[in-house]
Amino acid sequence: MRIPLDRESPTPLYSQIAAFIRTGIESHTLPAGMRLPAIRKLASELGVNRITVETAYAELEAAGLVAARVGSGTFILPPFPAYIAGKGGHDILSPYGMSFRNTSDTPWPHWQQGVLDRFSHLPAKPAIPLNTHHPDTHIISLNSGNSDPALFPLDEVRASLRDTLRLEGTDAGEYADMAGYMPLRRTISHVLADQGIPAAVEDIIITSGSQQALALITQLLTVPGDTVVIEAPSYADGMDLFRVRGLNIVQIPMDTEGMRADLLEEALRQHAPKFIFTMPNFHNPTGMCMSGQRRRQLVQIAAAHGVPLVEDDFVGDLRYEGHAQPALKALAARGACFYMGTFSKMLMPGLRVGYMVAEGPVRDLLIRCKRLHDISSSGVIQRALYRFVSVGRHRTHLARSCSIYRKRRDALLEGIATYLPEDITVAPVTGGLFAWCTLPPDLSATALEQAAFKRGVAIAAGTAFFLNPAEGDRFIRLNFTPHPPDVLRDAMRKLGEACNDIQKGGAA
C-alpha cells in the first residue's frame, strides 16, 4: 500500500497512515471486506516501526472502520452511516444524480466545482437505475432499454471468437480500419440491402453502438448554442448528449402517426436547426411506428428547408404485426439522411457494435472525428462478428426473436388488462421493445415508479423523456422483452398492487 508520508509534517506518522486509509474507506476505493496489509509488512514498506502502524490500525478500529481478527489480519468493515454523516462532509450532486460526499475538511479542487457547474443544467437521473438486472434478484426490471441477452447465440459467437484468434492470430489484435473492418461493413451493406436500405460499403462506418454514431454526428454538425429538433417524448440519453453539447433542443409533439409534420415545418422556419433526430421505427420510449405518409412528409419538409435527417433505426426489424415501412434513408435524396443501426439490441448490449451510413464529404470528416475518439472500434469483436453475421443467419435470429418477443408482448398486454386500472391506456405495440402507458389523472408516474419498486417491479417514469419532466408524469414505459410471459404477468399483478397503494393513500 503506497501511503504518502510527510516526515516533516507536525502531524504524527500514525495519524497520516490512519487518515489515508480512512479516506479510502469513506470513498469506497478500499472496499468492505478487504484485508489491510500485515502490520510488519506495511511498516517495512513505509520505513516506519511496527508501533506506528499498530497505532494507526488501533485508531481505525476505535472509529469502527476496521476489525482485527486473531490469526487472520485486519479487515475493513461495512460502512457505518452514522459515522460517515457525523464527519460534517457535504454532498456534491453529479449531473447523473449520484451524490459524491466529501468527508474531509479539505474541499475539492476549485476546478472540479467549475466542471459540475457547467453540467448543472442536466437533469438528475431517476433514483431507480435503468438496468435490466438489479442486484436485488427479487426486482422484476421493466425499465431498461435493451432486449433479452439470454437469446444471444453465445456458443456460436464463442466459436467465432475462437476461430478469429486461431486463424488470424496477432493480426486480429491490430487496429481495424478507422471506418471499420471491411468484410463486416460489406456484410452490413448486404443486410441493409435485404431490408431495402441503400448503403454502399464505403459509406458505412462501424461505431461503438449507435450512441457513438449520434455523438459523432452531433460533434460534426453543431457548436454550442445551435438548435436540434427531436420528438416529444424522445430518447433520454440523446437529450443528455445534446445538453452536454450546449445545444438548444426543440421538441415536436407526436400523434398516432409520429412527429407532427405541421408543427415541424413551423419549428424549422423559426429555429433553423442543424438536424432533425428521429426514431421512426418502434420509437423509444413510445414504441410507436411512423406512418408511411408521415415519413414522406418528414423527408419532404426537411429537404425543403435544407435540414439533414438523423434516423436511429435501433430495433426496426423487431416487427410483430403489420407491414414494414420504408426507412427515411430510402426515401431521402443521397446525402440528405444519416442512418444509424446497432447490433446491441438484436444480439447483446455489451457487444457495443453499431454502424452509421453517411454519404458525401461528411463521411470522411466523421471517420476523422471517430479516430480522435477511439482510433477504431475493437478489431477482434468486429472480426468475430463478421464470422457470425450473415444475411441468412440474421434472418433466422430475427425470426426467432420476433416469435419470442411477440408472446411476451401479448403476456404484458394481457397482464395490463387483467391487473391494472381500466383507465390506463396503452399505445399500439406493433413491434420493438416497449409499451407506452398513459396513466389516469389520479396516478403520478413518479409516485408509481417508487411504489412499484417497493412491490418488486422497476418501471421507467415518462419524466425522463421530456425536456420538461412534468409533461411526462402521466406516462410510464415498460420493456417486455427481457422476461418470459409468466414473469411479466406477475409483474403486472404487482404493478396493479402499487397502483392500489397510491390510490388508497390518496383517498385516505
Side-chain angles (χ1 to χ4, degrees):
M1 182 174 286
R2 299 179 180 179
I3 300 177
L5 298 179
D6 183 357
R7 299 178 191 275
E8 304 300 322
S9 170
T11 303
L13 293 179
Y14 76 85
S15 293
Q16 294 183 45
I17 295 171
F20 181 88
I21 296 174
R22 178 165 50 245
T23 299
I25 294 172
E26 293 171 357
S27 65
H28 306 295
T29 55
L30 297 179
M34 174 182 172
R35 186 173 69 177
L36 293 176
I39 292 174
R40 185 188 300 275
K41 183 175 185 296
L42 184 58
S44 175
E45 289 177 352
L46 298 179
V48 299
N49 60 51
R50 290 181 56 191
I51 300 299
T52 299
V53 177
E54 286 178 352
T55 305
Y57 280 13
E59 182 176 293
L60 294 169
E61 188 167 14
L65 295 176
V66 304
R69 301 175 189 169
V70 178
S72 297
T74 302
F75 294 82
I76 296 173
L77 293 173
F80 182 44
Y83 172 81
I84 299 295
K87 291 297 293 180
H90 56 280
D91 287 332
I92 296 178
L93 186 64
S94 83
Y96 292 89
M98 297 177 291
S99 180
F100 297 98
R101 177 172 288 275
N102 185 356
T103 55
S104 72
D105 295 330
T106 304
W108 294 119
H110 182 70
W111 66 264
Q112 289 210 21
Q113 186 58 53
V115 172
L116 289 177
D117 290 343
R118 282 175 46 217
F119 285 81
S120 62
H121 60 289
L122 281 179
K125 290 297 183 184
I128 299 172
L130 301 180
N131 293 327
T132 305
H133 302 288
H134 285 277
D136 185 344
T137 56
H138 299 294
I139 299 295
I140 303 173
S141 301
L142 308 179
N143 63 350
S144 79
N146 295 318
S147 54
D148 187 358
L151 299 187
F152 182 64
L154 191 61
D155 291 339
E156 295 177 62
V157 174
R158 183 186 294 114
S160 296
L161 274 168
R162 185 176 60 247
D163 290 345
T164 294
L165 295 173
R166 177 174 58 84
L167 297 173
E168 302 191 43
T170 56
D171 289 344
E174 296 291 335
Y175 288 136
D177 185 290
M178 287 188 295
Y181 184 51
M182 179 58 76
L184 177 60
R185 291 159 62 196
R186 189 174 295 114
T187 297
I188 292 172
S189 177
H190 295 160
V191 170
L192 292 178
D194 188 55
Q195 299 167 359
I197 301 169
V201 175
E202 60 269 19
D203 294 330
I204 294 173
I205 303 171
I206 304 297
T207 58
S208 298
S210 55
Q211 183 72 13
Q212 187 188 49
L214 182 58
L216 292 172
I217 292 169
T218 302
Q219 178 183 357
L220 184 66
L221 299 189
T222 68
V223 295
D226 283 343
T227 297
V228 295
V229 166
I230 63 176
E231 290 132 336
S234 188
Y235 173 49
D237 286 337
M239 289 195 294
D240 280 353
L241 171 64
F242 303 147
R243 290 186 180 105
V244 168
R245 184 68 178 166
L247 303 181
N248 175 40
I249 306 171
V250 175
Q251 279 197 306
I252 305 297
M254 301 172 65
D255 58 20
T256 56
E257 294 189 62
M259 183 187 292
R260 286 182 53 181
D262 56 334
L263 299 179
L264 173 63
E265 186 137 33
E266 175 59 28
L268 297 188
R269 280 195 298 266
Q270 182 177 348
H271 299 285
K274 295 301 182 181
F275 63 81
I276 302 166
F277 173 65
T278 180
M279 294 181 167
N281 288 324
F282 314 125
H283 174 264
N284 181 6
T286 68
M288 291 191 288
C289 192
M290 188 181 292
S291 70
Q293 181 180 11
R294 187 62 55 80
R295 290 168 191 252
R296 288 172 171 81
Q297 287 178 314
L298 180 57
V299 168
Q300 291 170 0
I301 292 171
H305 289 267
V307 179
L309 291 163
V310 178
E311 177 181 14
D312 188 352
D313 195 14
F314 74 116
V315 287
D317 295 337
L318 290 178
R319 176 175 293 278
Y320 312 132
E321 57 192 49
H323 301 291
Q325 297 290 348
L328 300 180
K329 176 72 181 65
L331 298 173
R334 180 168 167 77
C337 179
F338 296 92
Y339 178 90
M340 307 187 309
T342 180
F343 290 103
S344 296
K345 302 299 186 287
M346 276 301 298
L347 295 178
M348 179 177 273
L351 277 177
R352 304 310 304 143
V353 178
Y355 52 88
M356 63 174 152
V357 181
E359 300 156 331
V362 296
R363 175 197 59 199
D364 291 340
L365 294 175
L366 284 166
I367 293 171
R368 289 167 63 184
C369 286
K370 176 172 169 56
R371 181 181 183 278
L372 296 176
H373 279 257
D374 63 3
I375 307 298
S376 71
S377 297
S378 168
V380 173
I381 296 299
Q382 289 187 66
R383 289 166 188 259
L385 195 56
Y386 158 69
R387 282 188 161 80
F388 170 75
V389 175
S390 66
V391 173
R393 185 173 278 173
H394 184 270
R395 286 175 180 169
T396 300
H397 183 68
L398 178 63
R400 175 173 177 260
S401 298
C402 283
S403 175
I404 291 171
Y405 292 154
R406 184 183 295 111
K407 294 175 182 176
R408 295 179 180 184
R409 175 205 62 174
D410 293 345
L412 180 85
L413 296 178
E414 175 190 319
I416 290 174
T418 302
Y419 297 109
L420 269 58
E422 293 182 359
D423 43 2
I424 288 181
T425 60
V426 185
V429 189
T430 58
L433 312 179
F434 309 120
W436 182 248
C437 306
T438 303
L439 304 178
D442 60 342
L443 280 178
S444 155
T446 305
L448 183 57
E449 185 179 48
Q450 299 296 330
F453 198 76
K454 292 177 181 178
R455 287 283 185 174
V457 180
I459 63 174
T463 52
F465 308 105
F466 289 85
L467 286 177
N468 177 10
E471 294 180 29
D473 208 32
R474 295 181 55 240
F475 306 98
I476 59 172
R477 190 193 70 179
L478 306 176
N479 183 348
F480 52 86
T481 59
H483 302 289
D486 58 331
V487 174
L488 292 168
R489 294 188 190 95
D490 186 46
M492 291 304 97
R493 177 184 61 79
K494 293 178 178 179
L495 187 58
E497 293 171 351
C499 290
N500 291 333
D501 292 341
I502 295 175
Q503 291 172 327
K504 288 178 181 177

